[in-house]
């Protein structure tokens, strides 16, 4: 028969409440000598504590909940791998809850499940917060951190610290890279209308304006970063006689390039592409895809550290990875 | 202040134990009238039960744990999406725990975390079971089901029901498809040495033998289904003067095709490929990749139903999706 707290209490001649406090490592009134004795007896009897009960007693646990928006993209793979490694190293166990595809019900359900398990912290990856979710999280006093999403202009997000790439910088760098190579009719494909999309659009607009080019909203095609809906998107953008397209994710890029081949376009001769993300997908298409590369693994690692130590918000540096999808029309700007 | 079970008990003039039993829906001795009264008061006071406590009381929960082997492949995406949808529809909440890359410590840790939360069931996706894990799961009396992994010859697996494609059939179908198109020097790339790899190898060997061809072990290159290590693999197989290669996953296929382009091979003129999985990756390469396609979404849906209703083990049908990576050397066999 499995030994219980009662067995330990009888043997140690203390109350079950004392045993419970000691085995939960609660800092409360008991003598160190008693603690040593109780722990020795627990070990001797082979007592294995019921963790759910222990968590309830301690009102905390060694669990980290990762709440993930499950749009069909692949950028989160390395973030998750890094969170797994970093939480494991810090002595925590992570588990993942899906928040659907910007589904308010599933998001709030996931938050409830996490809070009910008295998790030590919550990481929200690329999640669109609604008012209810933001409120519940802040009321809970549970440490939270956003990953790959932030919005300093939106009250739903301002209460949370984040670890992310700088989306405005991403949009700026991608656009600037194309302009420096002689492109001026530059489209932006697949961004969404939420914070991330807006920030990347701002970066695009800033780079265009700085170079005396007029950013045009009819060169922007909205999407959700996923593979699939690129067929009409490419045709629509081709009708605008663009030189180059910035894709909002690698999934959008591979979708666009697939469609470009079906339309017999020669890339980058007829049309240049630069993608945002820089995952392995950029290496498997023909041509390979130049990208603004995000360091997702680093992002996951730093986010766990940030959560556990309550560090300030962090931007993880991004960089351009030149591959073969951008045609050099002129190197004039580069020769300045 | 948050209302407690004690508040409800005082108001209803019953014991806290009775309130607890009623609110946990435990089928025990209390009068229906009392239950109605207690529930009404709980609602009136805005009582929100602590789920972890309720789970402990009921010794069950509405949680389904999904334990996932996190090799860097993409086949599990649709399985997870389907599990999420099916568990949600059935009124359960799923959460994912990572078992590392065939990491015994992480696997057993994940199983512990799941069992300690009194989950209603555990789904193990493509997980390599060790003796300890198999034993813990069977001792727990918690409903379990394997997804995309099974082994009727291995005692670690025989105690568990599964939902999977038939790996022997997959190997057979892929090989047969190539032989029927005139190929005879057929390699097999990227399978592992575990159950899944062995089963696919058996199917390959059966098809070769049935057609009077000798399956050769030096035409088999082992791997782990992931993208990356294909450089030497392709060179090694090219030295054997093969007509065609079966890749163990789409990730292996895109890796091989990338390397083939670097070696200036014309696919399928110089070398044919057929892949196992049939995810979107088969559509984004040049040429597109013919595949033995697994229905991962269906697999996830059926697995949840199987877990909740304790159904027998199930094979999910697979089919060939012809694309452009297989050269037709002769249609002789097809004309029979």
């Amino acid at each position: 028969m499995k030994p219980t707290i009662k067995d330990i209490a009888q043997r140690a001649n203390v109350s079950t409440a004392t045993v419970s406090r000691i085995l939960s490592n609660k800092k409360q009134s008991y003598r160190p000598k008693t603690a040593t004795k109780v722990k020795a007896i627990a070990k001797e009897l082979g007592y294995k504590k019921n963790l759910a009960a222990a968590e309830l007693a301690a009102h905390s646990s060694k669990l980290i909940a990762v709440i993930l928006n499950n749009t069909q993209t692949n950028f989160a793979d390395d973030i998750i791998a890094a969170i797994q490694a970093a939480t494991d190293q810090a002595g925590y166990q992570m588990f993942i809850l899906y928040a659907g595809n910007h589904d308010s019900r599933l998001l709030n359900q996931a938050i409830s499940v996490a809070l009910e398990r008295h998790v030590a912290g919550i990481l929200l990856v690329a999640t669109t917060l609604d008012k209810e979710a933001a409120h519940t999280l802040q009321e809970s006093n549970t440490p939270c951190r956003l990953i790959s999403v932030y919005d300093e202009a939106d009250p739903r997000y301002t209460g949370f610290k984040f670890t992310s790439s700088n989306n405005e910088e991403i949009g700026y760098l991608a656009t600037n890279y194309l302009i420096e190579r002689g492109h001026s009719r530059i489209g932006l494909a697949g961004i969404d209308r939420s914070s991330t999309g807006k920030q990347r659009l701002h970066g695009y607009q800033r780079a265009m304006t700085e170079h005396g080019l007029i950013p045009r909203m009819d060169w922007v095609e909205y999407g959700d970063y996923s593979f699939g809906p690129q067929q009409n998107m490419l045709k629509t953008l081709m009708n605008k006689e663009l030189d180059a397209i910035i894709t909002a994710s690698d999934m959008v890029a591979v979708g666009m390039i697939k469609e470009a081949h079906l339309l017999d376009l020669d890339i980058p001769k007829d049309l240049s592409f630069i993608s945002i993300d820089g995952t392995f997908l950029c290496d498997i298409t023909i041509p390979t895809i130049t990208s603004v590369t995000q360091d997702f693994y680093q992002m996951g690692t730093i986010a766990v550290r940030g959560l556990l130590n309550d560090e300030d918000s962090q931007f993880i540096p991004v960089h351009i990875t030149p591959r073969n999808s951008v045609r050099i029309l002129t190197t004039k700007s580069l020769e300045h």
Side-chain angles (χ1 to χ4, degrees), chain A:
Chain A
M1 217 182 66
K2 265 163 70 175
T4 65
I5 284 188
K6 214 170 157 184
D7 299 327
I8 301 168
Q10 280 177 350
R11 188 86 81 93
N13 201 22
V14 296
S15 72
T16 53
T18 301
V19 173
S20 174
R21 280 201 301 275
I22 289 169
L23 295 183
S24 305
N25 290 313
K26 279 193 109 178
K27 286 178 194 94
Q28 264 180 288
S29 53
Y30 49 75
R31 288 179 302 152
K33 208 176 142 187
T34 310
T36 310
K37 187 176 164 192
V38 163
K39 284 180 181 174
I41 291 170
K43 199 177 167 187
E44 187 194 330
L45 295 178
Y47 172 75
K48 211 179 155 187
K49 68 180 167 185
N50 181 318
L51 266 195
E55 282 162 21
L56 278 175
H59 277 280
S60 80
S61 73
K62 283 291 189 180
L63 286 178
I64 303 277
V66 179
I67 296 181
L68 192 62
N69 181 58
N70 61 340
T71 317
Q72 291 288 304
T73 63
N74 71 320
F75 76 93
D77 295 354
D78 270 359
I79 297 178
I80 299 295
I83 293 173
Q84 164 71 31
T87 49
D88 186 47
Q89 209 185 355
Y92 289 81
Q93 170 78 40
M94 76 140 197
F95 66 102
I96 299 171
L97 294 162
Y98 276 89
N101 191 357
H102 305 290
D103 182 319
S104 182
R105 179 183 66 84
L106 287 176
L107 170 64
N108 284 286
Q109 191 173 303
I111 290 170
S112 287
V113 169
L115 293 177
E116 283 154 8
R117 267 85 207 163
H118 300 282
V119 294
I122 300 179
L123 292 166
L124 296 116
V125 182
T127 313
T128 305
L129 290 181
D130 58 21
K131 260 192 193 172
E132 183 189 347
H135 182 257
T136 308
L137 288 170
Q138 292 193 316
E139 287 292 300
S140 76
N141 284 325
T142 301
C144 292
R145 197 171 194 88
L146 306 176
I147 300 181
S148 198
V149 65
Y150 63 96
D151 193 338
E152 283 145 344
D154 185 327
R156 292 172 300 177
Y157 292 87
T158 44
F160 300 96
K161 293 176 182 169
F162 62 83
T163 305
S164 177
S165 302
N166 183 330
N167 285 311
E168 207 270 349
E169 184 193 6
I170 285 176
Y172 181 86
L173 282 178
T175 313
N176 201 53
Y177 184 87
L178 292 170
I179 295 171
E180 283 183 341
R181 277 145 193 85
H183 298 272
S184 57
R185 299 182 66 85
I186 300 169
L188 184 52
I191 57 165
D192 65 359
R193 294 173 191 276
S194 78
S195 312
T196 302
K198 276 183 209 155
Q199 291 153 355
R200 292 180 183 175
L201 178 60
H202 286 162
Y204 161 80
Q205 290 168 329
R206 179 162 67 91
M208 293 289 275
T209 308
E210 276 187 18
H211 287 85
L213 299 168
I214 296 165
R216 284 178 40 180
M217 283 312 289
D218 64 327
W219 291 352
V220 177
E221 283 289 313
Y222 286 94
D224 70 349
Y225 305 98
S226 73
F227 176 78
Q230 280 78 42
Q231 193 171 5
N232 294 325
M233 201 181 276
L234 181 61
K235 278 186 189 153
T236 307
L237 287 172
M238 285 308 291
N239 288 337
K240 322 275 184 185
E241 296 178 359
L242 300 178
D243 307 321
I245 294 174
I246 301 166
T247 61
S249 75
D250 291 346
M251 293 293 260
V252 173
V254 296
M256 293 291 257
I257 284 179
K258 183 193 166 194
E259 292 306 321
H261 287 305
L262 293 176
L263 297 177
D264 269 331
L265 293 175
D266 184 340
I267 300 167
K269 192 163 160 275
D270 299 330
L271 185 64
S272 290
F273 281 101
I274 185 166
S275 181
I276 295 170
D277 280 353
T279 67
F280 81 99
L281 291 173
C282 293
D283 279 318
I284 66 174
T285 51
I286 298 180
T288 57
I289 308 167
T290 296
S291 64
V292 181
T293 302
Q294 303 193 62
D295 193 341
F296 293 114
Y297 198 91
Q298 178 80 343
M299 197 185 293
T301 307
I302 299 286
V304 170
R305 203 189 66 195
L307 177 78
L308 296 178
N309 303 320
D310 194 26
E311 293 174 11
D312 283 342
S313 292
Q314 303 133 331
F315 280 130
I316 306 296
V318 298
H319 63 277
I320 300 270
T321 306
R323 294 190 188 85
N324 302 313
S325 61
V326 176
R327 186 180 177 195
I328 298 180
L329 299 178
T330 160
T331 54
K332 201 182 151 204
S333 305
L334 288 172
E335 286 160 2
H336 276 341

